[in-house]
Amino acid sequence: MSDLRITEAFLYMDYLCFRALCCKGPPPARPEYDLVCIGLTGSGKTSLLSKLCSESPDNIVSTTGADNIRKYWSRYYQGSQGVIFVLDSASSEDDLETSRNELHSALQHPQLCTLPFLILANHQDKPAARSVQEVKKYFELEPLARGKRWILQPCSLDDMDALKDSFSQLINLLEEKDHEAVRM
């Protein structure tokens, strides 16, 4: 075989490899999920989600009057497929108690009680932050959420890899739910 034919053969093989590896068409569409994100004022909901979307959290201002808005949370529950509950693990005892009560209400709400929960113990970078074990015990998650699908993860704005991992775990729970629905 001449050098030209060998070169053409290699080019054709390169072309076939390229087509096989790169040109299979567009990647399959990822499923989209409707999630509701709730938590007390100052827990870091907007900052975490902004950072997760590669936006700067520097110009974020806490929602004013958020305590008054809490009574309207349930209006956003319909159609949700999962819940993200953000709590400030370094908050005062009073705020932690309020957060605990709100999480308990959400876990027992008729529109949310069957959904997977991602519970983010935020502000882990602060000295007063409670560990995940302390939060789990204080919030009584083991007995309250028995039989439910939930994940409790530590997080902070400084550790985006951990936050992305938390969301990956939530997506896994959501995909498990999708597979269960298909099997029924």
Side-chain angles (χ1 to χ4, degrees):
M1 207 190 247
S2 72
D3 288 339
L4 182 59
R5 290 205 186 249
I6 292 173
T7 303
E8 286 175 10
F10 279 119
L11 286 174
Y12 184 69
M13 287 184 353
D14 285 345
Y15 170 76
L16 291 178
C17 288
F18 174 78
R19 293 278 306 156
L21 294 173
C22 300
C23 298
K24 292 182 179 179
R30 291 174 162 179
E32 290 184 7
Y33 297 103
D34 290 322
L35 305 172
V36 62
C37 184
I38 54 178
L40 299 187
T41 301
S43 61
K45 301 175 295 295
T46 306
S47 297
L48 287 172
L49 294 174
S50 294
K51 185 86 180 219
L52 193 63
C53 296
S54 301
E55 296 174 6
S56 174
D58 295 337
N59 298 325
I60 293 172
V61 179
S62 286
T63 307
T64 54
D67 291 338
N68 298 329
I69 294 171
R70 207 175 315 140
K71 61 186 170 192
Y72 299 108
W73 283 0
S74 61
R75 293 184 180 190
Y76 298 97
Y77 294 170
Q78 189 171 351
S80 295
Q81 295 168 286
V83 180
I84 303 161
F85 189 92
V86 182
L87 63 98
D88 180 355
S89 63
S91 67
S92 69
E93 289 294 324
D94 287 344
D95 283 349
L96 203 63
E97 179 66 22
T98 303
S99 189
R100 177 180 173 265
N101 292 336
E102 292 299 336
L103 178 59
H104 283 210
S105 293
L107 283 164
Q108 295 171 350
H109 192 280
Q111 289 179 306
L112 303 181
C113 64
T114 61
L115 302 181
F117 273 70
L118 171 58
I119 305 162
L120 296 172
N122 196 16
H123 301 302
Q124 289 292 308
D125 53 333
K126 293 184 179 177
R130 291 158 185 89
S131 70
V132 169
Q133 288 304 92
E134 291 171 307
V135 169
K136 185 188 291 186
K137 184 176 179 180
Y138 184 82
F139 278 65
E140 301 171 325
L141 285 173
E142 292 291 340
L144 179 69
R146 185 172 290 125
K148 300 179 187 305
R149 295 170 305 135
W150 58 276
I151 304 161
L152 171 61
Q153 291 289 104
C155 71
S156 73
L157 286 177
D158 297 336
D159 192 355
M160 280 295 98
D161 289 336
L163 186 62
K164 288 177 183 178
D165 182 57
S166 298
F167 275 83
S168 292
Q169 290 180 49
L170 177 60
I171 289 168
N172 288 339
L173 287 179
L174 291 163
E175 287 174 347
E176 287 172 12
K177 178 88 172 165
D178 284 350
H179 293 303
E180 288 172 13
V182 170
R183 280 186 245 152
M184 293 181 161

